[in-house]
PDB file of all heavy atoms in Angstrom:
ATOM      1  N   GLU A  60       8.450   7.914  -5.396  1.00 91.00           N
ATOM      2  CA  GLU A  60       9.180   9.122  -5.783  1.00 91.00           C
ATOM      3  C   GLU A  60      10.103   9.595  -4.662  1.00 91.00           C
ATOM      4  O   GLU A  60      11.254   9.964  -4.904  1.00 91.00           O
ATOM      5  CB  GLU A  60       8.185  10.223  -6.144  1.00 91.00           C
ATOM      6  CG  GLU A  60       8.816  11.528  -6.559  1.00 91.00           C
ATOM      7  CD  GLU A  60       7.769  12.603  -6.795  1.00 91.00           C
ATOM      8  OE1 GLU A  60       6.660  12.284  -7.239  1.00 91.00           O
ATOM      9  OE2 GLU A  60       8.090  13.773  -6.514  1.00 91.00           O
ATOM     10  N   ALA A  61       9.593   9.575  -3.429  1.00 87.00           N
ATOM     11  CA  ALA A  61      10.402  10.019  -2.288  1.00 87.00           C
ATOM     12  C   ALA A  61      11.615   9.124  -2.086  1.00 87.00           C
ATOM     13  O   ALA A  61      12.724   9.612  -1.847  1.00 87.00           O
ATOM     14  CB  ALA A  61       9.546  10.047  -1.024  1.00 87.00           C
ATOM     15  N   PHE A  62      11.436   7.821  -2.214  1.00 92.00           N
ATOM     16  CA  PHE A  62      12.562   6.907  -2.003  1.00 92.00           C
ATOM     17  C   PHE A  62      13.527   6.929  -3.178  1.00 92.00           C
ATOM     18  O   PHE A  62      14.727   6.701  -3.004  1.00 92.00           O
ATOM     19  CB  PHE A  62      12.055   5.495  -1.691  1.00 92.00           C
ATOM     20  CG  PHE A  62      11.666   5.331  -0.253  1.00 92.00           C
ATOM     21  CD1 PHE A  62      10.370   5.614   0.166  1.00 92.00           C
ATOM     22  CD2 PHE A  62      12.581   4.936   0.694  1.00 92.00           C
ATOM     23  CE1 PHE A  62      10.001   5.499   1.487  1.00 92.00           C
ATOM     24  CE2 PHE A  62      12.234   4.802   2.028  1.00 92.00           C
ATOM     25  CZ  PHE A  62      10.937   5.094   2.426  1.00 92.00           C
ATOM     26  N   ASP A  63      13.049   7.211  -4.365  1.00 91.00           N
ATOM     27  CA  ASP A  63      13.954   7.386  -5.504  1.00 91.00           C
ATOM     28  C   ASP A  63      14.796   8.641  -5.312  1.00 91.00           C
ATOM     29  O   ASP A  63      15.981   8.659  -5.640  1.00 91.00           O
ATOM     30  CB  ASP A  63      13.168   7.464  -6.816  1.00 91.00           C
ATOM     31  CG  ASP A  63      12.655   6.107  -7.272  1.00 91.00           C
ATOM     32  OD1 ASP A  63      13.206   5.074  -6.802  1.00 91.00           O
ATOM     33  OD2 ASP A  63      11.698   6.066  -8.076  1.00 91.00           O
ATOM     34  N   LYS A  64      14.180   9.701  -4.790  1.00 87.00           N
ATOM     35  CA  LYS A  64      14.909  10.938  -4.511  1.00 87.00           C
ATOM     36  C   LYS A  64      16.015  10.697  -3.491  1.00 87.00           C
ATOM     37  O   LYS A  64      17.089  11.280  -3.577  1.00 87.00           O
ATOM     38  CB  LYS A  64      13.934  12.006  -4.012  1.00 87.00           C
ATOM     39  CG  LYS A  64      14.559  13.353  -3.779  1.00 87.00           C
ATOM     40  CD  LYS A  64      13.518  14.378  -3.339  1.00 87.00           C
ATOM     41  CE  LYS A  64      14.161  15.737  -3.106  1.00 87.00           C
ATOM     42  NZ  LYS A  64      13.175  16.728  -2.664  1.00 87.00           N
ATOM     43  N   LEU A  65      15.741   9.808  -2.535  1.00 88.00           N
ATOM     44  CA  LEU A  65      16.746   9.459  -1.532  1.00 88.00           C
ATOM     45  C   LEU A  65      17.851   8.570  -2.108  1.00 88.00           C
ATOM     46  O   LEU A  65      18.936   8.473  -1.542  1.00 88.00           O
ATOM     47  CB  LEU A  65      16.100   8.711  -0.360  1.00 88.00           C
ATOM     48  CG  LEU A  65      15.244   9.506   0.596  1.00 88.00           C
ATOM     49  CD1 LEU A  65      14.516   8.579   1.552  1.00 88.00           C
ATOM     50  CD2 LEU A  65      16.096  10.479   1.368  1.00 88.00           C
ATOM     51  N   GLY A  66      17.549   7.898  -3.207  1.00 91.00           N
ATOM     52  CA  GLY A  66      18.500   6.953  -3.765  1.00 91.00           C
ATOM     53  C   GLY A  66      18.388   5.574  -3.142  1.00 91.00           C
ATOM     54  O   GLY A  66      19.269   4.740  -3.306  1.00 91.00           O
ATOM     55  N   TRP A  67      17.316   5.325  -2.411  1.00 92.00           N
ATOM     56  CA  TRP A  67      17.140   4.043  -1.741  1.00 92.00           C
ATOM     57  C   TRP A  67      16.333   3.064  -2.578  1.00 92.00           C
ATOM     58  O   TRP A  67      16.351   1.864  -2.300  1.00 92.00           O
ATOM     59  CB  TRP A  67      16.467   4.218  -0.392  1.00 92.00           C
ATOM     60  CG  TRP A  67      17.269   4.987   0.610  1.00 92.00           C
ATOM     61  CD1 TRP A  67      18.521   5.508   0.431  1.00 92.00           C
ATOM     62  CD2 TRP A  67      16.891   5.333   1.928  1.00 92.00           C
ATOM     63  NE1 TRP A  67      18.935   6.148   1.557  1.00 92.00           N
ATOM     64  CE2 TRP A  67      17.950   6.061   2.498  1.00 92.00           C
ATOM     65  CE3 TRP A  67      15.763   5.115   2.682  1.00 92.00           C
ATOM     66  CZ2 TRP A  67      17.914   6.557   3.791  1.00 92.00           C
ATOM     67  CZ3 TRP A  67      15.714   5.602   3.975  1.00 92.00           C
ATOM     68  CH2 TRP A  67      16.782   6.314   4.520  1.00 92.00           C
ATOM     69  N   GLY A  68      15.614   3.564  -3.555  1.00 90.00           N
ATOM     70  CA  GLY A  68      14.840   2.712  -4.449  1.00 90.00           C
ATOM     71  C   GLY A  68      13.750   1.922  -3.761  1.00 90.00           C
ATOM     72  O   GLY A  68      13.341   2.206  -2.638  1.00 90.00           O
ATOM     73  N   SER A  69      13.296   0.910  -4.455  1.00 93.00           N
ATOM     74  CA  SER A  69      12.173   0.113  -3.943  1.00 93.00           C
ATOM     75  C   SER A  69      12.571  -0.754  -2.746  1.00 93.00           C
ATOM     76  O   SER A  69      11.740  -1.025  -1.874  1.00 93.00           O
ATOM     77  CB  SER A  69      11.585  -0.753  -5.053  1.00 93.00           C
ATOM     78  OG  SER A  69      12.552  -1.643  -5.547  1.00 93.00           O
ATOM     79  N   THR A  70      13.834  -1.166  -2.686  1.00 94.00           N
ATOM     80  CA  THR A  70      14.273  -1.989  -1.558  1.00 94.00           C
ATOM     81  C   THR A  70      14.137  -1.223  -0.245  1.00 94.00           C
ATOM     82  O   THR A  70      13.595  -1.739   0.739  1.00 94.00           O
ATOM     83  CB  THR A  70      15.725  -2.452  -1.745  1.00 94.00           C
ATOM     84  OG1 THR A  70      15.839  -3.140  -2.984  1.00 94.00           O
ATOM     85  CG2 THR A  70      16.169  -3.347  -0.607  1.00 94.00           C
ATOM     86  N   GLY A  71      14.614   0.003  -0.223  1.00 95.00           N
ATOM     87  CA  GLY A  71      14.501   0.829   0.979  1.00 95.00           C
ATOM     88  C   GLY A  71      13.058   1.125   1.322  1.00 95.00           C
ATOM     89  O   GLY A  71      12.668   1.131   2.489  1.00 95.00           O
ATOM     90  N   MET A  72      12.249   1.366   0.280  1.00 96.00           N
ATOM     91  CA  MET A  72      10.839   1.664   0.491  1.00 96.00           C
ATOM     92  C   MET A  72      10.121   0.471   1.129  1.00 96.00           C
ATOM     93  O   MET A  72       9.380   0.627   2.106  1.00 96.00           O
ATOM     94  CB  MET A  72      10.183   2.025  -0.843  1.00 96.00           C
ATOM     95  CG  MET A  72       8.718   2.364  -0.743  1.00 96.00           C
ATOM     96  SD  MET A  72       8.010   2.846  -2.315  1.00 96.00           S
ATOM     97  CE  MET A  72       8.228   1.357  -3.288  1.00 96.00           C
ATOM     98  N   TYR A  73      10.359  -0.722   0.604  1.00 97.00           N
ATOM     99  CA  TYR A  73       9.707  -1.912   1.160  1.00 97.00           C
ATOM    100  C   TYR A  73      10.220  -2.227   2.567  1.00 97.00           C
ATOM    101  O   TYR A  73       9.454  -2.671   3.427  1.00 97.00           O
ATOM    102  CB  TYR A  73       9.901  -3.120   0.249  1.00 97.00           C
ATOM    103  CG  TYR A  73       9.156  -3.009  -1.053  1.00 97.00           C
ATOM    104  CD1 TYR A  73       9.796  -3.255  -2.267  1.00 97.00           C
ATOM    105  CD2 TYR A  73       7.808  -2.655  -1.094  1.00 97.00           C
ATOM    106  CE1 TYR A  73       9.117  -3.153  -3.475  1.00 97.00           C
ATOM    107  CE2 TYR A  73       7.129  -2.550  -2.289  1.00 97.00           C
ATOM    108  CZ  TYR A  73       7.780  -2.802  -3.474  1.00 97.00           C
ATOM    109  OH  TYR A  73       7.099  -2.690  -4.649  1.00 97.00           O
ATOM    110  N   LEU A  74      11.500  -1.999   2.798  1.00 97.00           N
ATOM    111  CA  LEU A  74      12.077  -2.260   4.120  1.00 97.00           C
ATOM    112  C   LEU A  74      11.466  -1.329   5.170  1.00 97.00           C
ATOM    113  O   LEU A  74      11.020  -1.781   6.234  1.00 97.00           O
ATOM    114  CB  LEU A  74      13.594  -2.098   4.090  1.00 97.00           C
ATOM    115  CG  LEU A  74      14.307  -2.284   5.427  1.00 97.00           C
ATOM    116  CD1 LEU A  74      14.146  -3.714   5.915  1.00 97.00           C
ATOM    117  CD2 LEU A  74      15.766  -1.925   5.297  1.00 97.00           C
ATOM    118  N   ILE A  75      11.420  -0.029   4.874  1.00 97.00           N
ATOM    119  CA  ILE A  75      10.836   0.917   5.816  1.00 97.00           C
ATOM    120  C   ILE A  75       9.345   0.619   6.007  1.00 97.00           C
ATOM    121  O   ILE A  75       8.825   0.667   7.127  1.00 97.00           O
ATOM    122  CB  ILE A  75      11.038   2.371   5.339  1.00 97.00           C
ATOM    123  CG1 ILE A  75      12.534   2.714   5.257  1.00 97.00           C
ATOM    124  CG2 ILE A  75      10.297   3.359   6.244  1.00 97.00           C
ATOM    125  CD1 ILE A  75      13.257   2.690   6.573  1.00 97.00           C
ATOM    126  N   GLY A  76       8.653   0.287   4.926  1.00 97.00           N
ATOM    127  CA  GLY A  76       7.237  -0.067   5.030  1.00 97.00           C
ATOM    128  C   GLY A  76       7.020  -1.281   5.916  1.00 97.00           C
ATOM    129  O   GLY A  76       6.095  -1.315   6.736  1.00 97.00           O
ATOM    130  N   ALA A  77       7.876  -2.291   5.771  1.00 98.00           N
ATOM    131  CA  ALA A  77       7.758  -3.496   6.603  1.00 98.00           C
ATOM    132  C   ALA A  77       8.048  -3.178   8.070  1.00 98.00           C
ATOM    133  O   ALA A  77       7.367  -3.702   8.971  1.00 98.00           O
ATOM    134  CB  ALA A  77       8.707  -4.575   6.095  1.00 98.00           C
ATOM    135  N   LEU A  78       9.034  -2.330   8.322  1.00 98.00           N
ATOM    136  CA  LEU A  78       9.331  -1.941   9.707  1.00 98.00           C
ATOM    137  C   LEU A  78       8.167  -1.174  10.326  1.00 98.00           C
ATOM    138  O   LEU A  78       7.807  -1.407  11.485  1.00 98.00           O
ATOM    139  CB  LEU A  78      10.610  -1.093   9.757  1.00 98.00           C
ATOM    140  CG  LEU A  78      11.922  -1.826   9.474  1.00 98.00           C
ATOM    141  CD1 LEU A  78      13.073  -0.828   9.358  1.00 98.00           C
ATOM    142  CD2 LEU A  78      12.203  -2.859  10.547  1.00 98.00           C
ATOM    143  N   GLU A  79       7.579  -0.265   9.559  1.00 98.00           N
ATOM    144  CA  GLU A  79       6.433   0.495  10.080  1.00 98.00           C
ATOM    145  C   GLU A  79       5.224  -0.408  10.314  1.00 98.00           C
ATOM    146  O   GLU A  79       4.524  -0.259  11.317  1.00 98.00           O
ATOM    147  CB  GLU A  79       6.070   1.626   9.129  1.00 98.00           C
ATOM    148  CG  GLU A  79       7.085   2.742   9.114  1.00 98.00           C
ATOM    149  CD  GLU A  79       6.777   3.814   8.103  1.00 98.00           C
ATOM    150  OE1 GLU A  79       5.980   3.576   7.164  1.00 98.00           O
ATOM    151  OE2 GLU A  79       7.335   4.914   8.243  1.00 98.00           O
TER     152      GLU A  79
END
Side-chain angles (χ1 to χ4, degrees):
E60 180 185 327
F62 278 89
D63 285 340
K64 184 178 180 181
L65 287 171
W67 295 359
S69 61
T70 304
M72 180 178 62
Y73 291 131
L74 177 65
I75 298 296
L78 290 172
E79 289 176 342

